[in-house]
């Protein structure tokens, strides 16, 4: 299991990982995407 976490850490420190993280942060900051995520989570909770 430690191997997987090490690989994730290594990826997040790479240039491509940093770009991916930046894109995810921008996407998460968008109010429309937040509303979609809340709606999706709400549907999952109802089941």
């Amino acid at each position: 299991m430690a191997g997987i976490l090490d690989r994730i850490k290594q990826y997040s420190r790479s240039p491509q990982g940093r770009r991916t993280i930046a894109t995810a942060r921008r996407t998460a900051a968008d109010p429309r995407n937040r509303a979609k995520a809340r709606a999706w989570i709400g549907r999952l909770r109802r089941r």
Side-chain angles (χ1 to χ4, degrees):
M1 193 66 153
I4 293 172
L5 294 178
D6 289 338
R7 290 175 73 183
I8 292 170
K9 286 180 191 177
Q10 184 179 9
Y11 176 76
S12 68
R13 292 179 184 140
S14 71
Q16 183 180 3
R18 289 182 185 179
R19 280 193 302 272
T20 302
I21 291 168
T23 302
R25 284 187 177 146
R26 277 195 307 274
T27 303
D30 184 9
R32 287 176 293 177
N33 288 331
R34 283 184 174 212
K36 286 179 189 177
R38 282 193 194 108
W40 186 74
I41 290 170
R43 284 194 300 268
L44 286 176
R45 285 184 179 167
R46 283 186 221 126
R47 290 182 185 178

